[in-house]
Each structure stands twice: as structure tokens, then as C-alpha cells.
Amino acid sequence: MQQAWRCSIVMFQGREILEKRADGAVAQQALAHEARMLEKLAGLHVPELISFSPDRAVLQRAYVAGQPLSELRREYWTRVLDQVEEALVRVHAYGFVHGDLRPDNIIVSESAVSLIDWEHALHLGMVIDQVPHRAVTPGLSHPRLIWGHGVVDTDLDVYPIDQMRRRANEKDEYRASEKAPEKITGPV
């Protein structure tokens, strides 16, 4: 799926908000889905939906000040991921999985953890190969999500958390989107 997103931070009624625009039919559908998810999951460690204009393909949501997990030192990841798991218990109780958990979609502030980018959220029980668009991150996404097998269950969120925990404890640090360092064998 090719998405064209344009995000900017703007002032709205005296506060900073994030404005997300979608170009193209697929991106517009994903943006509408994200708006519905933010509305349904209000208060569950997700940004507040300010407004959504399907005609203009513009979503406005509360700006979440903080740092993505990917920018924090790995020694803090375990504590943050514990908070993410707690938040997801409530999301799962509402019948959804995030579907695109990765360090860049977890924002950490001094007071809370927020999960962003809900355009790929999935309903529990859906047949995976019937999901029109799936987000996958090599090395993090559950293999069933990547290959389109089975049904959507909470393991699709648990698996990437486990992978991030494993990475937090690795000595060789690299991002999920980067190739793992190659091991040199034989004489140098």
C-alpha cells in the first residue's frame, strides 16, 4: 500500500495539535479508519481526536509531546513496554489490536505512554488474509500478520512487544528497519 501522509503541528484553540493529511484513496481510507479508532479508544493511551474531515482528508488530533521509544536508550525500554502492555489490555478488551506496534509508534513523555498511528488497527477475530491493508515491520511483526495466515488475536500485539524486549537486552543495537550487523567468520 502506498500512502502519502503529510503531518504538521498547528495551533488550534490555543494548543498544539497534529494535523495529518492523506493523499490518494488508500491513504484516505486508512486515515478515516484511524479517526474511528481514536474516537472508539478515547482515553486508552491514544491521542484525543479533535476533528476529522473526510471531504478534505484531514485528521486533527492532540499533539503528543514526548519521544518515540526508538529515541530512548534501550535500558528504559522494559519499563516503557510494561506500560504499553497495560494499555493494550484495555484496548484488547474493546476488541481491537494496534496492528503496527513498533518503537516509532510508542511516544513516551514524563507522565504517560501514548500509542499513535492507529490506521492499521484490526478487530479481534478478523481473518488476516481478508484484511485489505496490513502494516508490517520486518523483525517485529508477527509472522501470521506478514504472511496473512489465521485470525487476528492479541498475539499480533504481544509478539512485537516481545521482539522489542529482546532487542532491549541485545548488545548489538540496531533498529528494526536496519539490517543486523553481519558476523565475521574466519581470519580477519
Side-chain angles (χ1 to χ4, degrees):
M1 171 174 70
Q2 187 174 9
Q3 295 178 352
W5 303 108
R6 290 177 287 140
C7 294
S8 56
I9 299 170
V10 299
M11 291 300 289
F12 178 76
Q13 296 180 349
R15 69 178 184 162
E16 288 182 321
I17 64 167
L18 183 125
E19 191 169 88
K20 194 173 188 179
R21 295 176 180 273
D23 295 324
V26 172
Q28 290 173 4
Q29 290 170 356
L31 193 66
H33 181 66
E34 181 171 12
R36 288 188 300 273
M37 294 308 302
L38 293 178
E39 189 174 58
K40 288 178 184 180
L41 300 174
L44 299 179
H45 294 271
V46 301
E48 173 194 359
L49 177 65
I50 306 294
S51 70
F52 175 63
S53 171
D55 298 335
R56 294 182 20 229
V58 175
L59 179 145
Q60 293 181 323
R61 68 158 174 83
Y63 172 71
V64 180
Q67 291 181 288
L69 181 63
S70 59
E71 293 180 10
L72 295 180
R73 292 195 334 233
R74 300 279 172 113
E75 64 195 60
Y76 297 114
W77 282 32
T78 299
R79 183 173 45 88
V80 170
L81 291 170
D82 288 344
Q83 294 174 37
V84 170
E85 282 183 319
E86 290 173 20
L88 286 172
V89 166
R90 295 174 54 202
V91 170
H92 296 161
Y94 274 74
F96 300 100
V97 297
H98 186 280
D100 189 21
L101 278 179
R102 53 192 172 92
D104 290 333
N105 287 343
I106 301 168
I107 305 297
V108 183
S109 70
E110 290 181 18
S111 61
V113 170
S114 295
L115 303 175
I116 63 168
D117 291 345
W118 287 87
E119 65 268 12
H120 295 288
L122 303 166
H123 293 273
L124 289 169
M126 291 177 74
V127 177
I128 295 173
D129 70 355
Q130 294 177 2
V131 173
H133 309 288
R134 300 185 301 271
V136 296
T137 302
L140 287 179
S141 296
H142 195 292
R144 287 188 296 111
L145 186 63
I146 293 169
W147 296 106
H149 298 298
V151 297
V152 173
D153 60 22
T154 59
D155 284 348
L156 298 184
D157 281 346
V158 171
Y159 185 88
I161 290 173
D162 289 345
Q163 296 304 307
M164 286 184 270
R165 283 185 191 285
R166 184 181 57 77
R167 289 215 170 98
N169 295 317
E170 287 179 346
K171 293 196 188 304
D172 294 331
E173 293 189 18
Y174 59 93
R175 290 181 174 225
S177 62
E178 295 174 341
K179 183 178 176 187
E182 291 186 26
K183 302 283 186 202
I184 299 174
T185 57
V188 180

